[in-house]
Amino acid sequence: VFDGSSDISSHLEHGTWMARTIYEIAPEAELFMAKVFDDSGVAYASDVLAGLEWCESQNPDIISLSIGGGLFEGICVEDPVAQKVTELFNSGIVVIASSGNDGSPVAMTSPACAEKVIAVGSSVGNESISSFSNRNDALDLLAPGGGVFVEDSLGENIYLSGTSVSAAIVAGGSVLVLENKTVSPIELEDGLRASGNIIEKYPFVQFDNYLNG
């Protein structure tokens, strides 16, 4: 817990929903969770950095970040969270981040704007970009996020929309890839981009294409 409290409960359930999304795609994955947002949905960069450092200490293959702050039109090299994400990516950890839900066609939130990260936006199925999805030339992938059913902590199906879900879907699919291929973070990113179907110039992720290619 890195939100300034000792409460491990996910009162907003956002992290629980994202973990469930990953689990439903990759049920053999071993999941570690770092709580960095307080009960009002606020997190400081120092909280996120502490969470990332803890994640790093667990020796993960993948870190999935369905969070975002600020709005950046270019690579956010001065942002401390983005800097840490780039460091982790360069160390051999696949880092995936949601692009944000401001509907911007020219900017993304941090850490999706990091120099090295797999930045994921939302699509409506495999047909179009979700109207709320941030994107710019640094966006790497699209994945479904325009209405996805997941199971909550009570076992009830709920309907979610947002780039957070899209990032979690890419994280889950990336687990399946790493179960079958030995690739570096940049090789995974390049492979997913190259094997995706294009929607408005952005690759829509197609894990089967990549695994069978």
Side-chain angles (χ1 to χ4, degrees):
V1 180
F2 304 97
D3 64 351
S5 75
S6 58
D7 184 4
I8 64 171
S9 301
S10 177
H11 295 283
L12 301 176
E13 294 220 6
H14 182 268
T16 302
W17 297 332
M18 298 309 109
R20 184 67 189 184
T21 300
I22 295 169
Y23 172 78
E24 288 182 356
I25 297 169
E28 300 301 315
E30 184 178 10
L31 300 180
F32 297 86
M33 297 181 67
K35 180 185 175 186
V36 298
F37 282 79
D38 66 21
D39 293 346
S40 60
V42 173
Y44 297 99
S46 58
D47 301 325
V48 179
L49 289 169
L52 286 172
E53 288 169 359
W54 177 82
C55 289
E56 182 180 16
S57 73
Q58 307 306 305
N59 298 313
D61 296 306
I62 299 169
I63 295 177
S64 181
L65 292 158
S66 289
I67 62 174
L71 202 58
F72 301 84
E73 292 189 7
I75 302 300
C76 47
V77 293
E78 301 298 325
D79 182 85
V81 175
Q83 289 174 348
K84 182 62 179 180
V85 161
T86 294
E87 175 191 320
L88 294 169
F89 194 97
N90 286 336
S91 75
I93 300 171
V94 175
V95 187
I96 297 161
S98 54
S99 67
N101 303 320
D102 306 282
S104 174
V106 297
M108 296 191 292
T109 56
S110 173
C113 56
E115 183 178 5
K116 294 291 182 67
V117 69
I118 300 178
V120 183
S122 172
S123 67
V124 180
N126 61 356
E127 299 176 355
S128 62
I129 299 174
S130 301
S131 60
F132 55 76
S133 180
N134 294 342
R135 66 269 191 196
N136 60 19
D137 289 343
L139 184 71
D140 293 301
L141 295 169
L142 293 172
V148 177
F149 284 99
V150 299
E151 190 175 281
D152 67 11
S153 60
L154 299 176
E156 300 291 334
N157 286 328
I158 58 171
Y159 178 85
L160 297 176
S161 290
T163 59
S164 286
V165 186
S166 306
I169 288 172
V170 171
S174 295
V175 172
L176 300 181
V177 171
L178 295 185
E179 289 175 349
N180 291 277
K181 290 178 179 281
T182 300
V183 293
S184 69
I186 193 64
E187 288 171 335
L188 176 64
E189 178 183 344
D190 289 346
L192 291 177
R193 285 173 56 85
S195 60
N197 296 334
I198 302 301
I199 299 177
E200 299 178 40
K201 85 178 183 180
Y202 301 108
F204 174 79
V205 68
Q206 296 284 320
F207 289 106
D208 287 343
N209 289 353
Y210 182 44
L211 285 168
N212 299 324

